[in-house]
Amino acid sequence: MEVDETPLATGELDRIAQSINRPVVLVGMMGVGKTSVGRKLAAALHLPFVDSDDEIESAAQMTIPEIFELHGEAYFRDGERRVIARLIGKGAQSDRKVIATGGGAFCNAETRALILEKAISVWLDSDMDTLIERVARKDNRPLLKQGNVRETLIRLREERASAYAQAQHHVISGSGPHGRTVSRIVKAIQSCL
Ligand code: S3P
């Protein structure tokens, strides 16, 4: 499908923002830009922004690498599910916000069901080279600590693609400016309002 890259006028953006009546949840691979794009999207829509990884860390009073090391991935996923459920709330008008989730959140069946039922879900997707370049900027991802980063990312993307594909919207987050991705997300959401 041809993507309309025309920038949105402020009035149009405000009108779309007002008709969003649920939380907007960004899902997708590590390094795709969920946090930076999410922050910009929230600013454009005048909505609060939260990052579920940050919320997990402050609830646990531990960093994500510490949680993985001390308690393992299953424990992390359970905490992630509870935190995302709290952030989404009832999925009502008063729960409107933009939520960036960790890369594995939407692959947990319960977390995915909750997001699909109560939020507007957006799968942010990038080509592998963009993901690899972006994950190199941070050193805090336990799943990338062992083995070759490219191979791990390729495997995870393959394993996760069928879950991500269940999101309501699929938006490409290219290597260009995040503002372009924000416009694409807003237009995708608008098409379903
Ligand atoms: C994970 C992604 C991370 C974080 C944790 C596990 C994953 O978040 O939740 O390290 O399973 O893909 P980002 O996607 O924000 O890097």
Side-chain angles (χ1 to χ4, degrees), residues 28-31 34-35 51 53 56 64 68 73 76-77 80 101-105 138 140-143 156 160 164:
M29 286 291 290
M30 297 178 249
K34 298 176 298 279
T35 303
D51 181 286
D53 282 344
I56 294 164
I64 289 175
F68 268 74
E73 184 173 350
F76 171 77
R77 295 295 168 209
E80 182 174 54
T101 60
K138 275 212 235 156
N140 63 348
R141 294 181 170 105
L143 298 182
L156 286 176
R160 295 174 169 184
Y164 293 149

Side-chain angles (χ1 to χ4, degrees), residues 26 33-42 124 173 178 181-182 185:
L26 303 184
K34 298 176 298 279
T35 303
S36 12
V37 169
R39 222 181 275 286
K40 263 188 174 293
L41 176 67
L124 269 195
S173 168
H178 286 323
T181 310
V182 167
I185 296 174

Side-chain angles (χ1 to χ4, degrees), residues 23-27 106 115-116 119-123 166-169:
V24 176
V25 177
L26 303 184
V27 307
F106 203 60
I115 296 172
L116 289 175
I120 298 171
S121 49
V122 181
W123 171 20
Q166 294 175 51
Q168 236 179 315
H169 304 288

Side-chain angles (χ1 to χ4, degrees), residues 28-147:
M29 286 291 290
M30 297 178 249
V32 77
K34 298 176 298 279
T35 303
S36 12
V37 169
R39 222 181 275 286
K40 263 188 174 293
L41 176 67
L45 297 173
H46 308 295
L47 290 176
F49 171 76
V50 276
D51 181 286
S52 69
D53 282 344
D54 290 348
E55 295 289 319
I56 294 164
E57 290 189 329
S58 60
Q61 292 291 296
M62 265 186 268
T63 65
I64 289 175
E66 285 167 349
I67 301 173
F68 268 74
E69 200 180 315
L70 277 167
H71 301 291
E73 184 173 350
Y75 179 92
F76 171 77
R77 295 295 168 209
D78 196 48
E80 182 174 54
R81 177 186 53 74
R82 281 184 276 114
V83 162
I84 292 174
R86 169 169 62 77
L87 297 176
I88 290 181
K90 292 189 164 65
Q93 180 82 12
S94 54
D95 298 309
R96 284 160 22 111
K97 59 176 78 72
V98 174
I99 305 171
T101 60
F106 203 60
C107 307
N108 175 289
E110 269 184 79
T111 308
R112 184 169 65 250
L114 180 85
I115 296 172
L116 289 175
E117 186 196 347
K118 297 194 167 153
I120 298 171
S121 49
V122 181
W123 171 20
L124 269 195
D125 194 13
S126 282
D127 61 79
M128 200 37 75
D129 288 339
T130 305
L131 290 185
I132 289 166
E133 193 223 298
R134 290 193 186 140
V135 295
R137 295 177 196 165
K138 275 212 235 156
D139 188 28
N140 63 348
R141 294 181 170 105
L143 298 182
L144 300 181
K145 286 285 178 211
Q146 266 152 26

